[in-house]
Amino acid sequence: MLGVDMAGEVVALGPDVGDDFQIGNRVCGHANLVENGTFAEYVVMHAYSLVKVPANVSNEQAAAILCAGMSAYQAINRKANLVGKLTVLIHGGAGGVGLIAIQLAKQLGLYVITTVSSQKIEFVKSLGADDIIDYRHDNVTERVLDITNDVGVDLSINPVSSAEVQEDINERLAYNGQVIGLVDLPRNIDVDLLASRGITVSALNLGGAHQSKSDSQNQDLALMAQSLLTILATHEIDSKIEATLPFDQLMDGLEMIKSHRNTGKIIVTLK
């Protein structure tokens, strides 16, 4: 069954949940990708991945911030070494990961360069992006080097493709730069190139924590979700919900995402 994020009300508790949750609590969480999905009226979730939804955050807002938002949060607040870093290239700034990554990066004072198609330029401007590259019409590498005076960016967050990760490594990163790939990494990375320029390549696999057998990594799913909800509750970031659809329009929403027609999150509700 499809679906990895959910928000709703606790209706039953397993035997080992303890006192953290009670029936009636509003909760949200990122599900285990190898178990049942979340596009359903009732969902069984591991307690370690759940957090309570703040009173001033709706279920829709909570569900919208999870997988993509947690990936962005993990990239910036877990994977990245931000000491002395000034610039970040966020590929796909209008996507689920990108739109949260831009907002989090601006909170930290980073200069944000992002790539989008032309029809989504105004959307990423509203998120605070400092420089915007239309990847369909501009040469991304040339624009990055022009913006950074041929230095390159300190950090790249890349949820787009392994080919783009390779281009980041080859030409777009500054000395001691770092790229965080949320997709398959390039098959044949030139380790001599990495060593000569001090480049770090990091892989991000949010849902893999469920299979890690690591209690700390499992529990960190809830910690990251809680941090995002806290920021969301204070209106410092916006989950950017574009559409809230009834369950019978689920396939329409998935088609919008598949064809890249959305510029924000699409939420499906069950009543």
Side-chain angles (χ1 to χ4, degrees), residues 82-119:
L82 296 178
V83 177
K85 301 300 191 292
L86 301 175
T87 55
V88 57
L89 171 62
I90 298 173
H91 291 268
V97 174
L99 70 88
I100 300 299
I102 290 173
Q103 295 177 79
L104 293 175
K106 290 306 299 178
Q107 280 191 327
L108 294 171
L110 293 171
Y111 189 93
V112 175
I113 305 166
T114 191
T115 64
V116 291
S117 56
S118 57
Q119 66 267 31

Side-chain angles (χ1 to χ4, degrees), residues 42-134:
Y42 294 95
V43 178
V44 177
M45 295 282 291
H46 294 282
Y48 65 70
S49 64
L50 291 176
V51 293
K52 294 176 184 176
V53 179
N56 64 333
V57 174
S58 69
N59 286 350
E60 290 82 3
Q61 290 172 315
I65 204 71
L66 293 173
C67 181
M70 289 165 67
S71 295
Y73 186 92
Q74 188 177 56
I76 292 174
N77 292 286
R78 296 288 191 271
K79 296 287 184 176
N81 174 10
L82 296 178
V83 177
K85 301 300 191 292
L86 301 175
T87 55
V88 57
L89 171 62
I90 298 173
H91 291 268
V97 174
L99 70 88
I100 300 299
I102 290 173
Q103 295 177 79
L104 293 175
K106 290 306 299 178
Q107 280 191 327
L108 294 171
L110 293 171
Y111 189 93
V112 175
I113 305 166
T114 191
T115 64
V116 291
S117 56
S118 57
Q119 66 267 31
K120 299 180 180 181
I121 287 175
E122 292 304 315
F123 176 74
V124 292
K125 278 184 182 178
S126 74
L127 301 174
D130 296 292
D131 258 300
I132 301 164
I133 301 172
D134 180 351

Side-chain angles (χ1 to χ4, degrees), residues 31-258:
N32 189 337
L33 296 173
V34 300
E35 296 177 354
N36 288 335
T38 58
F39 291 150
E41 186 175 0
Y42 294 95
V43 178
V44 177
M45 295 282 291
H46 294 282
Y48 65 70
S49 64
L50 291 176
V51 293
K52 294 176 184 176
V53 179
N56 64 333
V57 174
S58 69
N59 286 350
E60 290 82 3
Q61 290 172 315
I65 204 71
L66 293 173
C67 181
M70 289 165 67
S71 295
Y73 186 92
Q74 188 177 56
I76 292 174
N77 292 286
R78 296 288 191 271
K79 296 287 184 176
N81 174 10
L82 296 178
V83 177
K85 301 300 191 292
L86 301 175
T87 55
V88 57
L89 171 62
I90 298 173
H91 291 268
V97 174
L99 70 88
I100 300 299
I102 290 173
Q103 295 177 79
L104 293 175
K106 290 306 299 178
Q107 280 191 327
L108 294 171
L110 293 171
Y111 189 93
V112 175
I113 305 166
T114 191
T115 64
V116 291
S117 56
S118 57
Q119 66 267 31
K120 299 180 180 181
I121 287 175
E122 292 304 315
F123 176 74
V124 292
K125 278 184 182 178
S126 74
L127 301 174
D130 296 292
D131 258 300
I132 301 164
I133 301 172
D134 180 351
Y135 70 90
R136 290 181 176 170
H137 297 100
D138 298 335
N139 182 301
V140 175
T141 299
E142 289 180 0
R143 289 279 289 117
V144 167
L145 294 177
D146 180 58
I147 292 165
T148 61
N149 295 316
D150 289 329
V151 172
V153 291
D154 297 316
L155 175 66
S156 173
I157 298 174
N158 197 322
V160 176
S161 71
S162 59
E164 289 299 320
V165 171
Q166 186 65 67
E167 288 300 312
D168 288 341
I169 294 169
N170 289 347
E171 298 187 72
R172 298 170 185 156
L173 288 177
Y175 179 79
N176 272 338
Q178 180 182 10
V179 57
I180 301 169
L182 285 75
V183 290
D184 291 338
L185 296 179
R187 296 292 181 183
N188 298 300
I189 295 177
D190 185 343
V191 294
D192 291 331
L193 175 63
L194 301 186
S196 68
R197 295 176 52 213
I199 289 174
T200 301
V201 180
S202 300
L204 191 153
N205 179 6
L206 180 73
H210 290 287
Q211 286 79 52
S212 69
K213 300 182 181 179
S214 168
D215 289 342
S216 65
Q217 291 300 311
N218 286 335
Q219 292 161 5
D220 197 40
L221 293 172
L223 290 175
M224 290 187 290
Q226 186 65 70
S227 294
L228 280 170
L229 288 172
T230 299
I231 302 171
L232 189 63
T234 57
H235 308 293
E236 295 175 67
I237 61 173
D238 190 328
S239 51
K240 292 294 180 182
I241 297 173
E242 178 179 349
T244 301
L245 306 177
F247 187 71
D248 60 5
Q249 294 180 26
L250 167 62
M251 295 306 296
D252 296 332
L254 292 175
E255 286 294 334
M256 286 179 67
I257 296 170
K258 182 179 179 181

Side-chain angles (χ1 to χ4, degrees), residues 1-30:
M1 186 167 61
L2 297 174
V4 295
D5 296 331
M6 58 71 61
E9 184 177 309
V10 176
V11 296
L13 299 169
D16 301 317
V17 171
D19 299 327
D20 291 338
F21 300 103
Q22 303 295 327
I23 291 175
N25 288 157
R26 285 197 307 128
V27 297
C28 67
H30 177 66

